Structures are given as C-alpha cells and as structure tokens.
Amino acid sequence: MQLVSDSGKLLDADLHNNIQSIREALGHSPDLIVREMVLADQWGVALLFINGLADRTMIQTSVLKSLTNLGALKPEQESSFRDAPLIYLKEKALTVGDIGYVNGIDSLFTHLLSGDAILLLDGYREGLRIGVTGREDRTVGEPTSQPSIRGPMDAFTENIQTNISLIRRRIKDPQLWLEIHPIGTITKTSVAIMYQKNIVSGQILQEVRTRLDAIDIDSILESGYIEEFIQDKTATPFPTVYNSERPDTIVAGILEGKVAIIIDGTPFVLLVPALFVHFLQTPEDYYQRSDISTLIRMIRFMSFLIVLLAPSFYIAITTFHQEMLPTNLLLNLAAQREGVPFPAFIEALMMEIVYEILREAGIRMPRTVGQAVSIVGTLVIGQSAVEAGIISAAMVIIVSITAISSYVIPANTMSISVRMIRFVLMGLAASFGLFGILVGVIILVLHLNTLRSFGVPYLSPLAPFNLDAQKDSLFRLPWPAMRNRPKMYNRKNPVRQSRK
Amino acid sequence: MKRITGGILAAVMILVLLTGCWSRRELNELGIVSGIAIDKSDDQYHLSVQVVIPDQVNGRMGKQDTPVAVYKTVAPTLFEAFRKLTETSPRKIYTAHIRTLVLSEEVARDGIAKVIDILVRNPETRPDYYVLIARDVSAENILKVLTPLEKIPAEALFYSLDTSNKVWAPVAAVTVDTLIDQLMTTGMSPVLPGISLLENDSRDTKSEDMRHIDHPVKLGYSGMAVFRNDKLIGWMTKDEGKGYNYIRNTVSSTAGHLKCPDGKYISLEIIRSHTEMKSRLEAGKPVIEISAKVESNIGELECSLNINDPMVLEQLQAAGEQDLENLMRQSVEAVQRRYKVDVFGFGQVIYNAYPKLWKKLEPQWNDEFPHLKVVYKVDAHIRNTGMITNSIERRMKEK
C-alpha cells in the first residue's frame, strides 16, 4: 500500500545516523521499538516498529525468524545474499506478503506510523517496509444506528481494511474497483472510493475524485468531515450525501452505480449521489415482500409529513381556522385549553424544545443514569404539565406523535433536518395560519428542486419524473419487475436482469 | 451580496413580525356559540345566543354547572346586536359552529331573508346548521331548555332533527344552505320545521332538572312552517308534512300503519322510498305527475291476517299504495286550498321541462298553482316480514 510518494529528505547511508534521526524526530518516544541485529556476522540491521501498531506475533514469526535463519544459509544462497542483501531480503528471505522499498524520511514515517515495520540495512540509503500492521480493533458487530429485523447483521468497523473486505466479500467481481486517496496533512487518513467499474457513471466518478482531491485540511477524523467538503451545496438543511454503517446498504448502492467513500477510523461509509427518496428507504425494504415494503414506505412518507407538519397544523387550525374543526372536536380542544396560560404557539414551542432537550440528554447521558432521566421526562411532560394546566393534553399528544414519527425516518441526518424545518413552519403557522404553512411548503419544495447531489437532481425520480424509477421510490415493486437499475444516475449499463 | 441578503432578511422579519398573528384567536378566547335565537318586537331584534362552556361539556373536572349559558341583547340590527353582546359576554362571540338557528314566528312572518343575510355573509360560519321556527313560544325560550343525553341543547335539537329526518317522515330538516337554495329557486317556496316546548312553559330550567328521568320541559317538533317567498303564512299538520316529505323525496325511512279488516293495525317500516316528479302538458296546461316507489317491511302485526298468503300481501300492498296516494293528495290539496303557495317545487319541475311555458306562467304562478292538476302513481312493495311470519295472536289460535 503506497500511501505517500517519496519526497524531501532521504535516508542516510549510516545506520546509526538514521536511527538517531528517527528517534529524534519522534521525540525519543518510548513506543518506538528499535531492534538492532547483525546478519551473517557482517551486516548491521535495525528493525523499527511502533509498539501497539505492528503485530508482534507477525514480527516474531515472519521477520525475526527469517532474519535469524540467514545465519544458516547454503553457500549459493549466501553469495546471492551478499551480492544484494536488500533484494535478497525482500524477495527470498522475509515471509511477509506486503513488502516494499522505502528511501525517503517522510514515507518512512508514514509507514512506520501506519503500523509497518521498517528494516534498515547499514550502508544502504534504502530500507524495507514490512506490512505487519496489526493494531487492536473492534470486531465486526451489529449495526446499532440502523438496526433491522431481517437482513445481514454485520456492520462496518473503524478499520478501513475490514470495511473494504466486508464489501469485497459481497461482490466477487473484478470490476469492483478501489482507489485510495490519503487526505489530511497531519492525519494522512486513508480515504477509499469503491465503485463497480462497468456500472458507475464516469462523470459522477470523476466528480467524486475531483472533490476529494480538492480537500485541504490537516485532519479527517470522521466521514462527516468529508461529507461537508464534498456536498453540492452547503446552505441547505437537507443531506445530499448518504451514510450507512451497513455493508449491505453500501453494496446495494455500489451495484446501482453509486460511489462508496470509505474513511479509515469510522464505521460510517458515505454513498453518493444521494437522493431525497433514499433517506426514506431502508435495506430491509428489499428483503421483505414487496407489498409489505410498499406499505411501510408509505408509513414512512406519512411520518415524514407528520414530523414536518403536525405541530404547525395544530397551531394553525386551533388559532386561525377553528371553523374547520368538527364541532365536537372543537369543544373537546377548547375544554382542554381552558386555563392554559400560553398561546398555542408558545405551548407547542415549549413542548417541542423540552422534547428535543430530553432527546439530546437521552443520547449523551451515561447509560447508568438513563432511567432517571426517562422517568423525570415522562412524568414532567406527560403528566405534571397537563395536570398543572400549563400545557393542554392535546398538545402533548401532538408533540408525542411528532417525536415518535421522527424515529420512523430511517436516516438520522434526514430526521434532524426535518425536525429543524418543523420549527420554521411552526413560526409561519403561528403568524399566518394555514396560509403560512402553504407558503412555507412551497418554498421548501422549490428549495428541494434546486438541490443536486453530484449533479443528479435531488428530487428525482419524482421531479424530474421518471416512470421506470417509480418502481423503487414510493413503491417497491417485486424484484422480478425491477429489470433496470435506477436511470437517474445510471445511463451506462442500466439493465439489471438481461434475460427475458 | 451581503446587502441583498440583509434586505431579504429584513423584509421577511418585517412581514412576519408586523403582520403576524393577524386575526389570531386562541381557543380559550372564544365564546363558541351553539345556537342562536332571534325574536322581534317593536322593530327591535332580540338576539339570544347559547354559548358553550367547554369545561362543563368536556372537562374532566366539575360538570356540576350548566353546560351552556345564554346571552341576550336588543338592537335595531342584528349586526349591532352581535357586537353589543360583548357588553355582557366576556369572550368574543364566535358563530362558526352554530348548530341550530331558531326564529320566532314574528320574525318569520316578517321575512327570514334579511335575518339570514348576516349569518350567511359571515365567511367563518359553517352553512350546515338547521333553521327552526319556534311555534307558540319565543325563540329565546327554546334555547333555555336543558336537555339530557346531548349536553348542549342546540346540539340536541340538531341531532334529534337529524335523526328524525332519517327515520321519521313527518319531520324535514332544512340546513341554511338548502333554505337559501329554496328561497332563490324560482317556482318554489321553502318549508321549515317548527319547534315548541312540550308539557309546561317554564321560563328557564335549572340544572337540578337534569336529575329527573322524565324532564318537566322538553323540546318537540311540531308541524312544518309554510312560507310564501320568505314570509311565514301558516303551518302544515303532521300528515301534510309527511305527504310533503314523500313528494320532495326526502324520506329515507319511516314508519306507517294500515288498518286490517278487523280494525286492528299493521305497521309498516318504510325502508326505501323514491319519488320523481315529472311534468307533461294536457290541453296546453301543465300537469304534474308524481311517481313514488316505496319498499317496506312489516314491522308489527296486531291482526290475524295470514301473511303467508301472497294474495293477502298483494292486498296489503294495494292498500299501502292507496294510503300513500291519499297522504300526498291531501297534502297537496291542503296546501293548494289553504296557502296557495308552491312549496313542492312544481313550478321548478315545469320550468325544467317547459322553460318557455314557465316564462308565461311565472308572473301569475301563485294564482295558477291552486288549480294545478296533480296525478299520482304509487308503487309499493312489501319485502320482508321480519323474524316471524303470522302474528303471535293468530298462531296462538291455530294451536
């Protein structure tokens, strides 16, 4: 794995000088292990690795053993070793798969700090890097942020190699291509892009490469850094890059012609282009029978509308359009509001904010105090507020249904943006009633229409309308009917089921 | 760029903050009116509104108090009267949810069009409330009667009219929008249901009265008010009202009875009824043809007729046909003789069939109507005899 091209300072011929300068550069760090040996009674060598990043058993079995074996070489081997010791070591002696030369100080550090072991030979301006990376990693676990009932239960980890292997394991095809772009002047984080060469649109792929290359930042710690750099438009509440910790979601995207961006150090893999409808779909939609999936998708779209509109509709109708309510419902609501000291808007705002606070507390608090918060939250909001007559019961119902609906939206990024817009619509509803909501929704739709994700219209296939792609947007038709890949971002190779 | 963004932002802020909350009303600032009663004396309108006390209707607390309160005022115009109500009412009178409008006989005789104008002109009022004429009692007193079952009296009136309209032929419910339609339809005069106090004429009932099982004061429908244009001219009896409803095709279900040969009764449940009016010319004169189709079940059998016999059933059907024809004929003749006003919409039928002839007839239609020839065609069917066939009495004898 070539991370950095050699540039700048080169290695010295003297082994001790090299070791000295490396030690100094790392500030005599105690986790730098330097093992000095003499090979064949003649060649001084030094093996350098970082304790904890390199796999000690591998160093033991593959490197140190091979090196000590050099003492018992047959005569013809010994002569070839003496002629070109580095080449001999690289090509014959060391039983390691990933091995290469290194001659610049910069690249030496990159490899050393990535977990490789470095073998330096006295008198040579070149060394060997030996891929023995073996840092401690979390094992592949269950997806926690996007759980499902049916479907694969593995999730990406923090290790980019593991993540790439999880994808490769599902697509056994040479056309699945991988590119690695190191990003971050300090962290030098590996950022990989993966795509299916014969399906992906060249234009989108080129766009991804250009945008990734344009990133200039010292560090990349999570996929969110990349997402903000590569999205089409920053001034929008809507996400235009999809992220998932589920390999099956990412693989399905790759097979539709999307590009996956895998970042070392985070289990969240990005997928572009991402359209509005994608954020309301889950991988499980494709594993269940199509009629069930369609019904559930409808429920999700309904929940989306509830999160967006329920509180503002309640405000608008109870403060401006009372004549629209059935008489008995009006009396019921009026009875509940008797004695409530706040206008409906303030009431709604208070409850929504309290709910958001509880939500945030629920995420951040230590697990052990979780129960206390939920008890206080339920009691304070659910009962006391109503009993004290500060909040009407109907408002609690509206806020609760909004809160629950927000969890039905499968993508957290979309859920958050909708909850944000909800407050704006509530304000409009409180000032102008249904008229305000209407204007707000019109502006929202116009805004959605201006969005693009890597050049693909965000609202497609709804606008611009694409009949064939309707098979998998609001509805999910049975697999045999979905002969083609979505055409919005896939013109090169659209046929999924070629046999008639 | 910054200045433009700033400008837009300022515009939005001004728009929202300065105009915002225009005509905003919180639910607990409204005096929700359930019923309106209008009386008239000395050229002054007496306006009474029945305002719901939501707590008492739906709150979890209390319910010891009356569910409604009546506010009243006197003013020369209704619009003024509505505003003047705020002198006594703490909340703004909100008329969107009126269920019933009760007009006194004086108001009705004076003309209902000008009274309804204000209510229909107000855009927020829903046009689906019923209009009633208070008979032999002031409209105000109708709104002051507490009702069991439905806590809000105006709502009780609404629902009992609604239910009667569906299952009891003599009562016809008229919502304000159909009333306006009828007022504006050429060749037709409206008919409105009458309401009166039954038993005693107490001025007010207290909530203690709610403790009774048989309430001392009840509201009941009595007859149908006949209008010439928009002015009340008289009342139809129950049977005439029944005939009227059959002709107007507003009967969906009702109950009726026939006499058996032995003088006892047999009750029929009308399950479907459909009436059509047609017009044809006879010697240049229009003739109205009413054809009614009625399907009924036997609801009650007192006498010992053998209804297993198809002949008997056919006789019953024939008797039913005759009975219904008489009902309609009497209704038409009574209206022709007594009121001389076309409440059935015959003129409208003629207008639809012969628009040119109607143009000639229209000016003197009120003179022509009493002499109009009406032909009846009734087709009655008995569909079902219920769970048993012959009467229990007959079967006891057969044993």
Side-chain angles (χ1 to χ4, degrees), chain A residues 314 317-328 330-345 347 386-387 393 427-428 430-432, chain B residues 15-17 19-28 30 32 52-60 91 94 96-99 123-126 150 152 155 159:
Chain A
Y314 180 81
I317 288 181
T318 55
T319 51
F320 286 94
H321 314 282
Q322 293 93 346
E323 60 274 9
M324 284 178 71
L325 290 166
T327 306
N328 287 331
L330 173 77
L331 292 176
N332 191 318
L333 293 178
Q336 292 178 26
R337 270 202 63 84
E338 282 306 313
V340 173
F342 305 109
F345 173 63
E347 208 188 335
V386 176
E387 264 168 33
L428 283 173
S431 329
F432 303 109
Chain B
L15 195 69
V16 173
L17 295 179
T19 68
C21 313
W22 194 315
S23 74
R24 182 180 69 92
R25 301 163 298 206
E26 293 294 334
L27 281 180
N28 43 356
L30 297 177
I32 300 163
V52 182
I53 304 168
D55 257 356
Q56 298 304 324
V57 180
N58 224 322
R60 277 170 302 164
R91 291 184 182 182
Y94 180 65
H97 284 270
I98 316 170
R99 304 323 302 274
E124 72 189 11
T125 309
R126 294 157 65 120
E150 288 293 338
I152 303 163
E155 197 131 283
Y159 284 117

Side-chain angles (χ1 to χ4, degrees), chain B residues 313-325:
Chain B
L313 274 184
E314 245 166 60
Q315 282 165 10
L316 277 177
Q317 286 175 4
E321 285 170 6
Q322 192 56 47
D323 195 66
L324 183 55
E325 190 185 323

Side-chain angles (χ1 to χ4, degrees), chain B residues 118-393:
Chain B
I118 178 183
L119 293 171
V120 181
R121 196 175 291 280
N122 185 352
E124 72 189 11
T125 309
R126 294 157 65 120
D128 63 348
Y129 52 90
Y130 288 138
V131 185
L132 309 172
I133 306 296
R135 192 175 187 183
D136 308 325
V137 63
S138 72
E140 181 192 332
N141 280 347
I142 297 290
L143 286 192
K144 285 186 181 168
V145 178
L146 282 176
T147 49
L149 274 179
E150 288 293 338
K151 292 188 202 84
I152 303 163
E155 197 131 283
L157 286 173
F158 180 90
Y159 284 117
S160 76
L161 192 55
D162 204 53
T163 318
S164 301
N165 188 36
K166 281 179 193 141
V167 301
W168 186 234
V171 177
V174 182
T175 57
V176 77
D177 50 348
T178 47
L179 173 64
I180 291 164
D181 274 355
Q182 292 182 355
L183 281 172
M184 294 190 301
T185 303
T186 154
M188 175 154 199
S189 288
V191 162
L192 291 175
I195 180 99
S196 52
L197 288 185
L198 304 182
E199 311 213 359
N200 67 43
D201 190 4
S202 147
R203 308 229 89 221
D204 193 352
T205 59
K206 299 182 188 73
S207 66
E208 282 87 70
D209 285 348
M210 296 290 273
R211 308 245 161 86
H212 296 279
I213 289 176
D214 189 5
H215 293 251
V217 181
K218 278 187 211 147
L219 297 166
Y221 290 97
S222 65
M224 306 279 287
V226 179
F227 285 78
R228 172 177 287 131
N229 296 325
D230 70 328
K231 292 185 172 65
L232 176 74
I233 51 172
W235 294 88
M236 280 198 264
T237 62
K238 275 219 162 115
D239 275 349
E240 288 160 10
K242 203 168 170 178
Y244 167 83
N245 280 325
Y246 272 111
I247 294 172
R248 291 289 305 154
N249 192 25
T250 53
V251 176
S252 45
S253 170
T254 184
H257 63 262
L258 294 173
K259 254 192 185 153
C260 296
D262 58 2
K264 290 179 182 165
Y265 289 109
I266 169 168
S267 304
L268 293 178
E269 181 202 3
I270 314 303
I271 51 168
R272 267 182 289 275
S273 155
H274 182 74
T275 318
E276 268 177 26
M277 286 191 273
K278 273 191 206 133
S279 157
R280 57 186 160 85
L281 290 182
E282 239 173 53
K285 291 235 166 206
V287 172
I288 296 290
E289 206 178 87
I290 299 172
S291 44
K293 262 190 197 153
V294 177
E295 288 176 37
S296 50
N297 294 339
I298 291 179
E300 191 181 10
L301 191 59
E302 285 183 5
C303 57
S304 51
L305 278 178
N306 179 16
I307 56 168
N308 283 333
D309 184 356
M311 287 301 291
V312 173
L313 274 184
E314 245 166 60
Q315 282 165 10
L316 277 177
Q317 286 175 4
E321 285 170 6
Q322 192 56 47
D323 195 66
L324 183 55
E325 190 185 323
N326 288 343
L327 199 66
M328 295 195 286
R329 185 186 302 280
Q330 278 160 15
S331 176
V332 171
E333 280 171 2
V335 173
Q336 279 178 329
R337 197 178 56 245
R338 263 190 285 154
Y339 306 118
K340 303 179 176 56
V341 53
D342 180 7
V343 295
F344 303 103
F346 293 154
Q348 177 71 15
V349 177
I350 297 169
Y351 169 65
N352 285 342
Y354 308 105
K356 280 182 188 155
L357 177 69
W358 175 249
K359 278 221 167 113
K360 273 187 271 167
L361 284 175
E362 197 182 354
Q364 69 270 16
W365 180 238
N366 283 343
D367 301 328
E368 293 273 344
F369 171 74
H371 312 295
L372 185 69
K373 186 178 169 192
V374 183
V375 185
Y376 305 90
K377 245 198 251 168
V378 181
D379 188 12
H381 284 283
I382 294 176
R383 292 284 179 215
N384 208 328
T385 62
M387 295 278 283
I388 51 175
T389 51
N390 285 327
S391 66
I392 295 170
E393 205 180 308

